[in-house]
């Protein structure tokens, strides 16, 4: 319908050009058509007269009136009115949008897909949780949102690369390494105090057991050598971080570079494999797992630092090298090289984002936890310093979902091991429910996850409500076969029998899906799809409860079956974007 209305306006502009009213250049301009929010203003509206008024040297309302007068007639259009400063409102014949039912069935899985992003390469980096433990339910929201957004952008025509940034270097990975090593030593009979700041989950014991199977006792060192001369830990009145750093240094000394590297890789790779399996079962996949360590190995980190230094964006203070971030919009300067000569996490992130630009992406989308809010400005500052612009970068912050068991909030701390994993959530409510619930709100809005609701088979459960609509239609089609009735696709004029208001509203809702998908993609808002599916399912359930489908009248039966088959297709297409299944039976 939008294409039809765009064509009508284009023809009107051509006529006005022939009359000398508008210059030739305006005839080829794109015509914007959108659905109205208020039906009293028609079904569709265009602001073409407002956008072309100045170039046509005409008041927008006067130009709109001339465009309307020049419009060709069309059976689908009931009337056209000019409103306000120059909007053109189209009122359609009540049955005009029924033709969309055949469009949906003809397009099938492709219905709603767009070319609005054609030719643009987009990288979406999401989850990127430190491989120091299993994914918890907080990470799950970022996974569901990032995966759905990538699907949405792809459906809108963008070329999408999905990426996970693996923080396999730095202090947190060293803490994981010594946590595993100490459990390994315990496994081999050594008695040592376990650090207050180390990772305590049972998963660490499992990794340690796997390490023993792999290396036997080759990493065994006497407990006395491990703890000799270490400063006191936190419970003994010392500093937790100082104790950890001393223990890390001792492990590196006792094990040596090669064996410490084996220990480090074993912990990281074991957890990464678990994360990959977990996400795969959650319907989340990546085109690339980008390791932070590769920035050092490839020289990308050194090149980024040299580029900053060559452009005089670094200065030395207190033995460290600082980036002049305040010159590029950040609130304070940032350390790039520590006093001990080691690069900071920020330095690695600068190199990583510079690498993204060098790979030729038109858009770079980082999906971070809301606790990274203060990190955005420093990354943008670095991009401005090194590339002249940060326009390609979009940072989307995802609030962690909060899980409740009764009235008690569950801790999400990875260090002390008291957390609910994403795997446990999937086992309890299923991947479909978890993914749908996660995208029910905008990513930056707070989300409390209601486990009882997610498990329920009721109309109050949104994912059940939508999937049940799809399954109900499947049941009708099975009954059609069981009763040996035939379905034949009606001709376009055969759909006019669908004249009841619920049928016309359902057709209008189906016709709205392509524009909604474009809007959701450009706004980075998968929740728009979730809301739409709930609306469509609600309309269908109401229609289903009051209308028989397998009626004796073949013309009416075929028309109604065409309607519900189109509904089923759009439900399936929308659920696919969200990574949720469309069951035939429930």
């Amino acid at each position: 319908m939008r294409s039809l209305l765009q064509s009508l306006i284009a023809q009107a502009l051509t006529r006005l050009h022939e009359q000398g009213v508008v210059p030739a250049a305006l005839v080829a301009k794109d015509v914007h058509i959108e659905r109205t929010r208020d039906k009293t203003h028609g079904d569709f509206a265009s602001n073409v007269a407002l956008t072309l008024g100045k170039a046509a040297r005409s008041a927008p309302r006067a130009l709109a009136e001339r465009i309307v007068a020049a419009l060709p007639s069309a059976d689908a259009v009931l009337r056209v009115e000019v409103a306000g400063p120059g909007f053109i409102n189209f009122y359609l014949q009540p049955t005009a949008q029924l033709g969309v039912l055949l469009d949906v069935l003809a397009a099938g899985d492709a219905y709603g897909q767009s070319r609005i992003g054609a030719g643009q390469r987009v990288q979406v980096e999401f989850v990127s949780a430190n491989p120091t433990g299993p994914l918890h339910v907080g990470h799950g929201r970022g996974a569901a949102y990032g995966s759905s957004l990538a699907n949405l952008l792809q459906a809108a025509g963008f070329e999408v690369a999905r990426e996970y940034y693996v923080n396999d270097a730095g202090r947190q990975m060293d803490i994981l390494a010594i946590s595993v090593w100490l459990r390994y030593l315990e496994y081999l009979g050594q008695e040592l105090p376990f650090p207050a700041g180390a990772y305590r989950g049972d998963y660490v014991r499992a990794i340690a057991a796997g390490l023993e199977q792999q290396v036997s006792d080759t990493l065994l060192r006497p407990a006395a050598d491990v703890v000799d001369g270490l400063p006191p830990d936190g419970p003994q009145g010392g500093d937790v971080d100082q104790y950890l750093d001393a223990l890390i240094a001792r492990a590196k000394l006792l094990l040596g570079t090669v064996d410490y590297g084996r220990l480090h890789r074993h912990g990281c790779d074991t957890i990464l494999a678990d994360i990959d399996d977990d996400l795969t079962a959650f319907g989340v996949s990546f085109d690339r797992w980008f390791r932070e360590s590769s920035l050092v190995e490839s020289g990308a980190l050194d090149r980024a630092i040299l580029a900053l230094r060559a452009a005089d964006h670094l200065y030395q203070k207190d033995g460290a090298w600082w980036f002049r971030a305040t010159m590029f919009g950040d609130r304070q300067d940032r350390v790039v090289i520590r006093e001990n000569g080691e690069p900071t996490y920020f330095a690695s992130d600068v190199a990583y984002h510079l690498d993204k630009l060098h790979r030729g992406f038109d858009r770079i989308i980082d999906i971070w936890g809301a606790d990274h809010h203060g990190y955005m400005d420093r990354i943008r500052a670095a991009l401005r310093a090194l590339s002249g612009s940060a326009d390609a970068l979009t940072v989307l912050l995802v609030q962690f979902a909060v899980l409740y068991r009764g009235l008690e909030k569950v801790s999400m701390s990875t260090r002390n091991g008291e957390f609910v994993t994403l795997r446990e959530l999937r086992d309890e409510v299923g991947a479909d429910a978890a993914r749908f619930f996660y995208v029910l709100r905008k990513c930056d809005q707070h989300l409390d996850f209601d486990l009882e609701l997610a498990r329920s088979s009721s109309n109050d459960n949104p994912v059940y409500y939508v999937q049940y609509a799809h399954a109900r239609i499947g049941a009708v089609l099975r009954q059609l076969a069981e009763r040996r009735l035939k379905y034949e696709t009606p001709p376009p004029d055969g759909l006019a029998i669908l004249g009841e208001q619920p049928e016309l509203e359902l057709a209008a809702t189906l016709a709205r899906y392509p524009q909604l998908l474009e809007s959701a993609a450009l706004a980075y808002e998968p929740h728009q799809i979730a809301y739409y599916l709930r609306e469509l399912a609600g309309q269908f359930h109401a229609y289903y409860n009051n209308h028989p489908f397998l009626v004796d009248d073949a013309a009416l039966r075929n028309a109604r079956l065409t309607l519900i088959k189109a509904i089923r297709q759009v439900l399936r297409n929308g659920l696919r974007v969200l990574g949720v299944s469309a069951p035939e039976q429930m």
Side-chain angles (χ1 to χ4, degrees):
M1 190 57 62
R2 290 172 66 196
S3 297
L4 170 64
L5 300 180
Q6 287 171 331
S7 174
L8 294 178
I9 291 179
Q11 292 178 61
L13 290 174
T14 299
R15 290 179 179 179
L16 293 178
H17 166 62
E18 293 170 350
Q19 297 170 15
V21 175
V22 299
L26 300 187
V27 176
K29 291 286 186 180
D30 290 336
V31 176
H32 183 67
I33 301 284
E34 64 179 15
R35 289 186 174 273
T36 59
R37 295 182 179 180
D38 185 348
K39 287 298 182 182
T40 62
H41 297 156
D43 297 286
F44 289 88
S46 176
N47 65 349
V48 63
L50 283 79
T51 60
L52 301 184
K54 183 176 180 180
R57 298 181 178 179
S58 171
R61 185 174 179 91
L63 179 59
E65 291 171 349
R66 300 196 72 165
I67 292 173
V68 170
L71 286 171
S73 62
D75 292 339
V77 178
L78 179 64
R79 70 180 189 276
V80 185
E81 295 179 354
V82 176
F87 290 101
I88 300 175
N89 295 338
F90 292 87
Y91 296 78
L92 303 181
Q93 295 286 357
T95 59
Q97 296 190 79
L98 290 172
V100 74
L101 307 184
L102 299 180
D103 294 340
V104 171
L105 297 186
D109 291 347
Y111 180 72
Q113 294 181 7
S114 168
R115 299 293 296 163
I116 196 169
Q120 297 188 61
R121 298 183 65 226
V122 181
Q123 188 232 35
V124 182
E125 182 222 324
F126 60 108
V127 185
S128 297
N130 288 342
T132 55
L135 298 178
H136 58 58
V137 297
H139 297 130
R141 189 177 186 189
Y145 173 72
S147 175
S148 298
L149 176 59
N151 295 342
L152 182 58
L153 291 169
Q154 190 167 311
F158 292 91
E159 181 184 341
V160 180
R162 300 161 173 84
E163 191 156 304
Y164 189 117
Y165 181 60
V166 182
N167 296 97
D168 63 340
R171 186 170 182 270
Q172 294 305 314
M173 296 308 299
D174 284 330
I175 295 174
L176 174 69
I178 62 156
S179 301
V180 171
W181 189 48
L182 293 179
R183 294 304 189 194
Y184 162 86
L185 294 177
E186 289 178 3
Y187 192 78
L188 293 179
Q190 299 295 308
E191 295 185 5
L192 304 99
F194 199 79
Y199 291 100
R200 294 177 169 273
D202 288 342
Y203 68 93
V204 177
R205 297 181 185 275
I207 296 172
L211 179 65
E212 190 275 336
Q213 292 178 4
Q214 186 180 103
V215 304
S216 187
D217 63 353
T218 58
L219 302 186
L220 176 63
R221 301 294 185 274
D225 292 347
V226 174
V227 300
D228 182 46
L230 292 183
D233 197 0
Q236 287 75 47
D239 183 274
V240 170
D241 289 327
Q242 286 183 5
Y243 183 78
L244 284 174
D245 290 340
L247 189 55
I248 291 168
R250 180 64 52 82
K252 291 180 178 179
L253 177 65
L254 292 176
L255 293 174
T257 302
V258 174
D259 280 346
Y260 185 80
R262 295 170 68 190
L263 168 67
H264 192 283
R265 283 192 301 275
H266 177 77
C268 178
D269 291 349
T270 301
I271 290 179
L272 270 184
D274 180 75
I275 288 173
D276 190 11
D277 289 344
D278 202 3
L279 290 173
T280 298
F282 198 45
V284 177
S285 61
F286 294 92
D287 301 301
R288 183 173 183 178
W289 296 70
F290 190 107
R291 289 182 178 252
E292 180 185 356
S293 58
S294 71
L295 295 169
V296 176
E297 296 164 1
S298 67
L301 178 58
D302 288 339
R303 287 193 296 272
I305 294 173
L306 285 173
L308 289 171
R309 183 172 284 134
D312 195 29
H313 296 321
L314 298 184
Y315 64 91
Q316 198 168 21
K317 185 180 73 171
D318 300 329
W321 285 93
W322 296 67
F323 166 52
R324 304 181 195 275
T326 51
M327 294 180 59
F328 300 95
D330 198 3
R331 66 182 183 278
Q332 65 185 65
D333 291 346
R334 306 293 178 178
V335 177
V336 174
I337 304 294
R338 298 184 182 93
E339 295 177 48
N340 62 4
E342 292 295 317
T344 60
Y345 287 116
F346 172 61
S348 296
D349 284 337
V350 172
Y352 178 44
H353 283 81
L354 196 59
D355 179 86
K356 294 183 183 190
L357 289 180
H358 289 165
R359 281 186 268 160
F361 293 111
D362 300 292
R363 300 188 188 191
I364 297 168
I365 299 174
D366 289 348
I367 299 174
W368 296 343
D371 56 338
H372 285 68
H373 182 274
Y375 213 76
M376 296 186 295
D377 288 343
R378 70 189 71 176
I379 296 297
R380 291 195 178 104
L383 290 182
R384 291 188 188 103
L386 291 172
S387 68
S389 172
D391 292 346
L393 174 65
T394 297
V395 178
L396 300 170
L397 298 178
V398 178
Q399 290 284 347
F400 279 169
V402 179
L403 183 67
Y404 284 88
R405 292 196 182 282
L407 298 177
E408 182 179 355
K409 188 166 86 170
V410 180
S411 170
M412 297 301 167
S413 170
T414 308
R415 188 77 61 85
N416 63 25
E418 296 177 1
F419 59 90
V420 176
T421 66
L422 176 61
R423 183 174 283 111
E424 289 170 334
L425 178 68
R426 287 193 290 102
D427 290 343
E428 185 163 351
V429 305
D432 283 345
R435 287 195 62 142
F436 201 94
F437 268 66
Y438 275 135
V439 298
L440 274 175
R441 290 180 177 269
K442 291 182 67 172
C443 65
D444 59 357
Q445 291 182 343
H446 178 82
L447 176 67
D448 288 339
F449 201 108
D450 186 339
L451 285 171
E452 295 300 323
L453 181 61
R455 284 199 305 263
S456 69
S457 299
S458 71
N459 291 344
D460 293 329
N461 180 348
V463 65
Y464 176 85
Y465 193 58
V466 173
Q467 289 181 318
Y468 185 41
H470 186 275
R472 265 184 153 179
I473 297 171
V476 171
L477 297 179
R478 288 192 297 274
Q479 292 170 19
L480 176 74
E482 291 167 2
R483 292 172 57 174
R484 297 185 180 180
L485 295 172
K486 290 182 61 179
Y487 165 75
E488 296 180 351
T489 304
D493 58 1
L495 295 174
I497 197 171
L498 299 175
E500 295 189 26
Q501 191 62 28
E503 294 165 335
L504 300 177
E505 290 176 355
L506 278 163
T509 300
L510 296 177
R512 185 160 51 89
Y513 180 66
Q515 183 177 349
L516 176 103
L517 187 142
E518 283 188 1
S519 172
L522 294 177
Y524 305 146
E525 293 181 347
H527 75 274
Q528 289 191 33
I529 303 297
Y531 280 22
Y532 170 86
L533 293 174
R534 292 176 70 180
E535 176 188 353
L536 178 59
Q539 289 179 322
F540 165 74
H541 287 305
Y543 181 60
Y544 177 96
N545 293 333
N546 292 287
H547 294 81
F549 302 108
L550 305 183
V551 295
D552 293 336
D553 185 333
L556 181 60
R557 180 175 69 242
N558 287 332
R560 286 184 174 172
L561 290 175
T562 299
L563 173 59
I564 65 170
K565 282 166 66 73
I567 294 169
R568 182 179 68 161
Q569 183 67 64
V570 174
L571 288 171
R572 183 182 302 161
N573 292 358
L575 287 169
R576 186 183 305 112
V577 168
L578 301 182
V580 177
S581 70
E584 292 296 329
Q585 293 178 300
M586 294 185 72

